[in-house]
Amino acid sequence: MSQVEAHLFHIDKVAIIGVGAVGATTAYAMLQAGSASEIVLVDLDRRRAEGEMMDLQHCLPFTEHAKLSVADLDEVEQCGLIIITAGAAQKPGESRLDLVQRNTRIYSGFFPLLSERNPDAAFMIVTNPVDVMTRVALKLSGLPARQVFGSGTVLDTARFRNLISQFFNILPRHVHTYVIGEHGDSEVLVWSRAMIGPFHISEYAEQRDLSLTPEVAERIEQDVRQAAYRIIERKGATHFAIGLATVRIAECLSLSQDSVLTLSRRMEGSYRLQNVCLSIPTLVSRHGAHTHFELDLSANERSALLRSAEIVDEVYQSLGLGD
Ligand code: NAD
């Protein structure tokens, strides 16, 4: 039996570290989905975590049952899944990469103890910049890549699929493609592999007599890339879709069959990239985030992916933590 096959994650007990906009929405979405039997809320601001728990308790008559509690960081143990949203969030005009120093300091304060107390848990990093923070978490814990991964471009992929679905007036579930690379400004939208049902997107456009012009494609690209900035300018945070994305990832971690998700995971040779964490299609199951897939990309997409990797790697190297 291989090492991957030997380890199974059991996500009955889930801890959410950081119960701000994203953490609280994740807990709410988990309750509705019934994806955990126990949810532990942890926040530096304990009263806030208590308030969220009290509010969530009143959901229970309407949802699947789950035990809810508040804990301090050093009380978190025997969890199967730990979702980390703790840290500074983007303010209007800030990029995700601007947060790196602050959030690395925050992770250094708790990640070693958290991983030591929960050596068998899966750790899902949501804090931005998610690719760099995933690598920081790997470094601080020494755990393997299948166990420590980021939510990556699962959200960006949802945004991309949604915009294509709106253009073609078709349900998003029929649209298949990915956003890969950094969860951030240098991300790569994979148009060359975009499918609607069994049709390549250009073939589908032709059959429906719709013109997917370069201007339309550029507008979609900008809408995906700028989505977080535009929402944060208007309401201060993005949290609904990432809440559902984290629940989807958690559910995939409880299944015996594989799902393909663009999680941020340490690269182990795909596209000749090593060590840097970023998103490419990854197989996920109760064995963790265990296998990468190399997509056959256009030349432009490939060079954009390599550039994205360079950008994320440079930011990580600037922290001076070593590979
Ligand atoms: P928020 O400010 O509402 O919540 C952050 C919470 O973390 C706060 O409640 C704060 O008290 C807590 N916190 C800070 N330090 C802590 C520590 N040491 N221990 C425990 N709790 C601590 O922010 P938010 O809008 O919920 O965003 C959270 C993070 O998620 C940000 O980094 C944001 O950029 C990121 N985010 C990621 C994605 C994604 O797709 N990966 C999407 C949206 C937001």
Side-chain angles (χ1 to χ4, degrees), residues 19-315:
V19 198
V22 176
T25 309
T26 297
Y28 179 61
M30 280 204 139
L31 275 187
Q32 292 200 56
S35 29
S37 54
E38 187 172 350
I39 302 175
V40 183
L41 304 177
V42 181
D43 200 289
L44 206 55
D45 181 350
R46 191 180 165 106
R47 275 180 68 76
R48 177 169 188 167
E50 284 169 358
E52 296 295 0
M53 181 192 70
M54 289 151 82
D55 198 2
L56 289 164
Q57 292 275 12
H58 304 152
C59 298
L60 294 176
F62 305 106
T63 63
E64 299 291 324
H65 187 73
K67 184 178 164 201
L68 292 165
S69 61
V70 167
D72 289 330
L73 269 164
D74 59 1
E75 295 166 342
V76 177
E77 49 191 14
Q78 293 180 333
C79 286
L81 171 63
I82 301 184
I83 300 172
I84 307 180
T85 76
Q90 284 166 272
K91 299 203 174 55
E94 262 187 331
S95 85
R96 295 173 179 93
L97 293 178
D98 290 334
L99 307 170
V100 73
Q101 300 282 353
R102 271 177 281 166
N103 287 342
T104 300
R105 268 197 303 278
I106 289 174
Y107 270 40
S108 302
F110 70 73
F111 212 90
L113 179 69
L114 193 64
S115 52
E116 200 185 298
R117 292 264 166 97
N118 297 272
D120 296 322
F123 292 85
M124 188 200 306
I125 310 302
V126 181
T127 310
N128 275 320
V130 72
D131 305 289
V132 180
M133 297 315 299
T134 302
R135 193 160 169 194
V136 168
L138 280 161
K139 182 74 185 172
L140 292 171
S141 65
L143 290 170
R146 67 175 168 69
Q147 207 173 338
V148 181
F149 49 81
S151 58
T153 52
V154 173
L155 174 59
D156 317 65
T157 293
R159 289 172 175 155
F160 188 24
R161 291 173 59 210
N162 188 49
L163 288 165
I164 292 176
S165 86
Q166 283 177 1
F167 179 77
F168 287 104
N169 191 28
I170 191 162
L171 286 172
R173 76 168 73 114
H174 299 301
V175 179
H176 304 285
T177 184
Y178 297 107
V179 176
I180 58 175
E182 179 200 0
H183 166 60
D185 299 345
S186 71
E187 64 194 16
V188 183
L189 282 69
V190 184
W191 288 100
S192 68
R193 312 290 295 184
M195 305 285 287
I196 295 184
F199 305 102
H200 188 271
I201 193 169
S202 52
E203 191 188 345
Y204 188 83
E206 205 175 299
Q207 296 218 15
R208 291 290 321 279
D209 222 4
L210 285 163
S211 178
L212 184 62
T213 59
E215 292 73 32
V216 172
E218 178 56 27
R219 201 186 64 229
I220 291 178
E221 290 239 8
Q222 286 311 316
D223 285 353
V224 173
R225 230 181 281 284
Q226 295 292 318
Y229 293 107
R230 290 176 185 166
I231 297 168
I232 289 167
E233 267 166 29
R234 286 163 173 80
K235 60 171 273 193
T238 67
H239 54 105
F240 288 124
I242 183 64
L244 287 182
T246 54
V247 170
R248 171 64 55 82
I249 298 166
E251 285 174 351
C252 293
L253 281 168
S254 67
L255 299 174
S256 55
Q257 285 175 311
D258 288 322
S259 301
V260 185
L261 294 175
T262 47
L263 298 180
S264 185
R265 183 179 181 275
R266 180 166 54 213
M267 298 298 284
E268 291 170 339
S270 301
Y271 304 100
R272 300 201 184 155
L273 293 169
Q274 292 285 356
N275 295 329
V276 62
C277 290
L278 40 73
S279 295
I280 63 170
T282 303
L283 290 185
V284 190
S285 69
R286 59 193 174 143
H287 300 292
H290 60 84
T291 306
H292 271 149
F293 264 124
E294 211 170 304
L295 280 168
D296 191 10
L297 300 170
S298 71
N300 283 346
E301 289 163 352
R302 196 183 173 90
S303 60
L305 177 67
L306 298 182
R307 179 70 195 124
S308 186
E310 248 172 53
I311 290 169
V312 174
D313 191 44
E314 274 167 22
V315 175

